[in-house]
Amino acid sequence: MTGTPDLYTDGGTEPPVVVKLGGARAVDPAGAVGDVAHLVANGREVVVVHGGSTEVDDQLEALGREPEYVETPGGVTGRFTDEDAMEVFEMALPGKLNTELVVGLRNAGVDALGLSGVDGGLLAGPRKSAVRVLEDGKRKIKRGDHSGRIDAVDDGLLSGLLADGYTPVLSPPMLGEESDGDVTAVNTDADRAAAAVAGALGGELVVLTDVAGVYEDPDDADTLIGAVDGPADFEDLEAAAEGFMTRKVMAAKEALEGGAAAVYVSDANVRDPIVAALDGAGTRID
Amino acid sequence: MTGTPDLYTDGGTEPPVVVKLGGARAVDPAGAVGDVAHLVANGREVVVVHGGSTEVDDQLEALGREPEYVETPGGVTGRFTDEDAMEVFEMALPGKLNTELVVGLRNAGVDALGLSGVDGGLLAGPRKSAVRVLEDGKRKIKRGDHSGRIDAVDDGLLSGLLADGYTPVLSPPMLGEESDGDVTAVNTDADRAAAAVAGALGGELVVLTDVAGVYEDPDDADTLIGAVDGPADFEDLEAAAEGFMTRKVMAAKEALEGGAAAVYVSDANVRDPIVAALDGAGTRID
Amino acid sequence: MTEAECVECGSAVTLHDDLEIGEIVDCGTCGAELEVVDVSPPVLERAPELEEDWGE
Amino acid sequence: MTEAECVECGSAVTLHDDLEIGEIVDCGTCGAELEVVDVSPPVLERAPELEEDWGE
Ligand SMILES: [Zn+2]
Ligand SMILES: [Zn+2]
C-alpha cells in the first residue's frame, strides 16, 4: 500500500503518522514526546493516541474499588466497565493522562490538543452492554458493560486540526451508540482506536510497546520479524503473535484493511522510538 | 456595546453566546442542556464553559484527601491547589464532568466537543505559585499553588470549531506559563474563564447561577437589579454584590472590558434558562 | 432438576438446580444456545450472539 | 527575640521567637513587607507583591 508517493492535504508526499503510546507502565513516553516534536518540527503531521489501563486500575484502587476483569469463552481477558468504572475511566484517561500528555508535548514545543472519542463524535460505533463470560466454568451473559467497537472516525475534524497546525492527542472513551439512538461514553481498546484513526487518515501507524516488535519465538531475540509483506507473511505473523501481541497484530490488520499506509510495531524505550520504528527497527507490516 | 447589529462570521447579526454553567450542586444543567440545543438548532453559535469545584472536593474526599482552602489577607477564600490536588482537579473537571456534559449535549442533538484550557493553549496566562494567606492571624507567603489568570484566549480555535458546526464545551484548568518558559496545567476560576472567552469572541455572556440575578438586598426578592447600563449603574452593582456574587460581578466587568457584547447573570433552575436570561429575566449588564 | 422449553425447537431442556440468571445452556435437541432470563420458574431465551471484544 | 536586617533600608527588624518560614513581617523603619525565607539564623527578603486571585 506504500511505494508510490501520493500528495497529501499538506502538499507533502508523506502521510500523517499515528503514534500509539502505551498505557502500560513499561512504556515511558518521554522519548516519544521528544520524537513527536522532531517530526512535527520537520513538517510531518502527527496524531497521538494513548491508552491507560493501569492508571484506571490505580485510581479504582485509590478509591477503594476493585478493578473487574472477565474472561470470555474464547479465552480473551478484558475489563468489565460498569457505570462506576466508566466514571473512573473518564477521570484517568481524558482527565489525568490526556492532560498530562498534552502539557508534556506543549513543553516540547508541540501545539498539542487533547480530545476523547466522545468529543465531536470523533470515535463512534455501537455500544455493547452484554458480554459472554466464563465464570467458574459456566458460560454466562453479563450485562451492564460500557464498551464498544469504533466503526466511524470523524477524519474531517482531525484533518482540520492538523491543517491548522495542532497535534491531536486522542484517548478512549469512544462514543457508544445505543439501539434507542442515545449515546454513552464507553470503553474501547486504544490500539484499535489508533488503528481506526490511521485507517481513516490513510496514515502510517506506529504502535509503541515494551518489546522490540513481534517475535517468531518471544524467548529468542534473534527471531524478531522485520517485515511482513502480503497475506502469506501476515498469516505467519498471526501465528507467531502471542498474548498481548495478538491484539497488536489484530489492530494492525484493522488499520491496513481500513486504509492505513503501513503499520509498525516497535520498542518505546529506545532513543527516538518513532523515527526508529519508521526506519525499520521493529516489525513493519504492509 | 450592543444596539447596532454587526455582521458576524456566520453571516448572522447575533454574536456567539457563551454560557457559564455552575459547578455548584444547586445548578442543574438539565434545563440549560436543552436550551443550548434550541439555540444551536436556531443557528446561534454557543460556547459552554463549566466549573466543578464541589466535584473536586468530592473526589478528593473519596480518595481520602482533604480539600485545602486558604484565606487571603484581603478576605478572599480560595482553593490551594498543590500538585496532588491538581491531578484530582484534572480527573474531576476535564475528565468526569466535561465528558458527562459533552455526552449530555450530544444526546440533546448538539455536536458538542470538550476542551480544557490546556488544549491547543486555548486559555493561557502566567502561573502563580505563591499566594499571600492569612493563617492563625499571621500573614504568610505560601508556595506550590497551581493557579493562574487568563490573559490570552485562542479565539481562532473556537471560531474554527464554531464555523464547522461544533459546540465547544470548555473547562479549567488553564495553561499556566512559568517564568522559565515551561507550561503547567493550573487552576483558574470558571466564571473568569467564561468572561475571557466572551471577551475574545465579542459574545454575549450568560452566567447561570442558583439565584435569579444580583439583588440590592439579597434578602428581599423585590430588589433584583434588572439592567445595569453605564459606569454609575455598575458602581451601584459592585456595591450591591455580596459573597460569591462579587466574583460574578468581577467576571462581568472583565468580560465587558475584554469586548463582550453584554453579560447576563440569571437563574439556572428555570425553564429555558439561557433564553430567559437573554430575554431579561435576571440582571443584564452592558 | 427442573425443565424449561427451548424457544427454538420446543423440546424440554433439563436444567440443574443452582441455575443463575444470565447462564447459557445448550438445547440437547437442536443445539441452540439459550440464556436463562429467569430462574423461578426458569425462562429461556435465545442467547445473543456477541463478538469477542475488549476495551482498555 | 532575635533580629535581622531589612533588605530595603538596612535597619534592624525585631522578630518574635516562633518565626515560621513564609511569614511576612513589616519593617518598623521603612514599612517594607519582608518575607522570612530562613529562620536559623533568620533571613529576610522583600515579600513579593501578589494579586488576590483564585481558581475553582
Ligand atoms: Zn432446541
Ligand atoms: Zn526597612
Side-chain angles (χ1 to χ4, degrees):
Chain A
M1 280 174 250
T2 54
T4 319
D6 294 310
L7 278 174
Y8 290 87
T9 45
D10 63 351
T13 57
E14 294 185 306
V17 182
V18 179
V19 182
K20 162 61 173 50
L21 301 182
R25 279 192 200 82
V27 183
D28 177 359
V33 163
D35 220 10
V36 169
H38 287 140
L39 287 164
V40 171
N42 288 321
R44 198 80 192 259
E45 293 183 336
V46 181
V47 176
V48 177
V49 181
H50 70 87
S53 192
T54 53
E55 182 69 33
V56 177
D57 287 352
D58 289 350
Q59 294 300 338
L60 280 167
E61 277 160 26
L63 289 162
R65 305 185 204 167
E66 189 79 23
E68 185 174 8
Y69 286 92
V70 291
E71 192 190 344
T72 70
V76 175
T77 299
R79 180 190 302 283
F80 186 85
T81 315
D82 66 12
E83 196 172 340
D84 280 358
M86 192 65 233
E87 189 178 299
V88 176
F89 190 98
E90 293 166 2
M91 294 201 291
L93 266 68
K96 182 184 166 194
L97 294 182
N98 193 269
T99 303
E100 287 179 358
L101 186 51
V102 166
V103 169
L105 284 161
R106 297 195 70 84
N107 275 319
V110 176
D111 199 353
L113 183 152
L115 295 170
S116 85
V118 306
D119 293 316
L122 180 59
L123 307 173
R127 173 190 173 176
K128 199 170 75 175
S129 68
V131 282
R132 286 185 176 227
V133 302
L134 202 60
E135 238 180 58
D136 308 322
K138 287 184 182 174
R139 287 170 300 146
K140 290 184 191 171
I141 304 282
K142 194 169 160 74
R143 296 173 195 275
D145 194 25
H146 289 63
S147 72
R149 193 186 295 193
I150 297 160
D151 67 8
V153 175
D154 184 353
D155 55 322
L157 174 56
L158 295 176
S159 302
L161 292 169
L162 289 167
D164 288 342
Y166 297 105
T167 295
V169 180
L170 314 183
S171 95
M174 63 174 279
L175 193 72
E177 294 152 351
E178 316 266 358
S179 51
D180 65 1
D182 273 8
V183 292
T184 316
V186 300
N187 192 355
T188 195
D189 179 57
D191 286 329
R192 298 175 93 176
V197 169
L201 295 176
E204 295 191 283
L205 174 62
V206 177
V207 179
L208 294 179
T209 179
D210 57 355
V211 291
V214 189
Y215 291 90
E216 279 175 43
D217 175 2
D219 296 324
D220 181 355
D222 291 338
T223 64
L224 179 70
I225 300 172
V228 177
D229 209 340
D233 268 20
F234 194 84
E235 274 180 33
D236 292 347
L237 183 76
E238 279 186 306
E242 281 179 30
F244 80 102
M245 199 50 87
T246 311
R247 302 189 179 190
K248 310 275 174 203
V249 169
M250 187 176 293
K253 189 176 183 178
E254 291 177 0
L256 293 168
E257 287 174 355
V263 178
Y264 306 81
V265 179
S266 194
D267 194 345
N269 298 300
V270 298
R271 195 183 165 86
D272 301 335
I274 304 165
V275 169
L278 294 169
D279 285 347
T283 300
R284 175 191 168 115
I285 311 162
D286 276 294
Chain B
M1 276 173 255
T2 53
T4 319
D6 294 312
L7 277 175
Y8 290 87
T9 45
D10 64 351
T13 56
E14 294 186 307
V17 182
V18 178
V19 182
K20 163 59 173 51
L21 301 181
R25 278 191 200 84
V27 183
D28 177 359
V33 163
D35 219 10
V36 169
H38 287 142
L39 286 165
V40 171
N42 287 323
R44 199 80 193 259
E45 293 183 337
V46 180
V47 176
V48 177
V49 181
H50 70 86
S53 192
T54 53
E55 183 69 34
V56 177
D57 288 352
D58 288 350
Q59 294 301 336
L60 280 166
E61 277 161 26
L63 289 161
R65 304 185 204 166
E66 189 78 24
E68 185 175 6
Y69 286 92
V70 292
E71 191 191 344
T72 69
V76 176
T77 299
R79 181 188 301 283
F80 187 85
T81 314
D82 66 11
E83 197 173 339
D84 281 357
M86 193 65 232
E87 191 178 298
V88 177
F89 190 98
E90 292 166 1
M91 295 199 292
L93 266 66
K96 183 184 165 194
L97 293 183
N98 193 268
T99 303
E100 287 179 359
L101 185 52
V102 166
V103 168
L105 284 161
R106 297 194 70 82
N107 275 321
V110 176
D111 199 352
L113 183 152
L115 295 170
S116 84
V118 307
D119 293 316
L122 180 60
L123 307 173
R127 172 188 174 180
K128 197 170 75 174
S129 68
V131 281
R132 286 185 176 226
V133 301
L134 202 60
E135 238 179 59
D136 307 322
K138 286 182 183 176
R139 285 171 301 146
K140 289 183 191 170
I141 303 283
K142 192 167 163 75
R143 295 174 195 277
D145 194 24
H146 290 63
S147 73
R149 193 187 295 193
I150 298 159
D151 67 9
V153 175
D154 184 353
D155 55 321
L157 173 56
L158 294 176
S159 303
L161 291 169
L162 289 168
D164 288 343
Y166 297 105
T167 295
V169 180
L170 315 183
S171 94
M174 62 173 280
L175 193 71
E177 295 153 350
E178 316 266 357
S179 50
D180 65 0
D182 273 8
V183 292
T184 315
V186 302
N187 191 355
T188 196
D189 178 56
D191 286 328
R192 298 175 91 175
V197 170
L201 294 176
E204 295 191 283
L205 173 62
V206 177
V207 180
L208 294 180
T209 180
D210 57 356
V211 290
V214 189
Y215 290 89
E216 278 174 47
D217 174 3
D219 297 324
D220 181 356
D222 291 337
T223 64
L224 178 70
I225 301 173
V228 177
D229 208 340
D233 267 19
F234 194 84
E235 272 180 36
D236 292 345
L237 184 76
E238 278 185 306
E242 282 178 30
F244 80 102
M245 199 50 86
T246 311
R247 301 189 178 190
K248 309 276 174 202
V249 169
M250 188 177 294
K253 189 175 184 177
E254 290 177 2
L256 292 169
E257 286 174 356
V263 179
Y264 306 80
V265 179
S266 193
D267 194 344
N269 298 302
V270 298
R271 196 182 165 85
D272 302 335
I274 304 165
V275 169
L278 294 170
D279 286 347
T283 301
R284 175 191 168 114
I285 311 164
D286 277 295
Chain C
M1 297 287 246
T2 52
E3 288 192 341
E5 189 171 293
C6 172
V7 290
E8 294 295 315
C9 72
S11 305
V13 181
T14 306
L15 302 165
H16 55 258
D17 286 334
D18 55 344
L19 205 65
E20 294 171 54
I21 287 180
E23 201 173 332
I24 298 170
V25 295
D26 297 318
C27 170
T29 306
C30 74
E33 290 188 307
L34 303 164
E35 179 185 356
V36 178
V37 296
D38 207 338
V39 287
S40 56
V43 180
L44 304 178
E45 281 182 9
R46 175 100 209 178
E49 298 289 334
L50 296 167
E51 286 184 281
E52 296 245 323
D53 220 344
W54 60 86
E56 269 299 294
Chain D
M1 297 287 247
T2 53
E3 286 192 344
E5 189 172 293
C6 172
V7 290
E8 295 295 315
C9 71
S11 304
V13 180
T14 305
L15 302 166
H16 55 258
D17 286 334
D18 56 344
L19 206 63
E20 293 172 55
I21 287 180
E23 201 174 330
I24 298 171
V25 295
D26 296 319
C27 171
T29 305
C30 73
E33 290 188 308
L34 303 164
E35 179 185 356
V36 178
V37 295
D38 206 342
V39 287
S40 56
V43 180
L44 304 177
E45 280 182 10
R46 175 99 209 181
E49 297 290 334
L50 296 167
E51 285 184 282
E52 296 243 326
D53 221 343
W54 59 86
E56 268 302 292

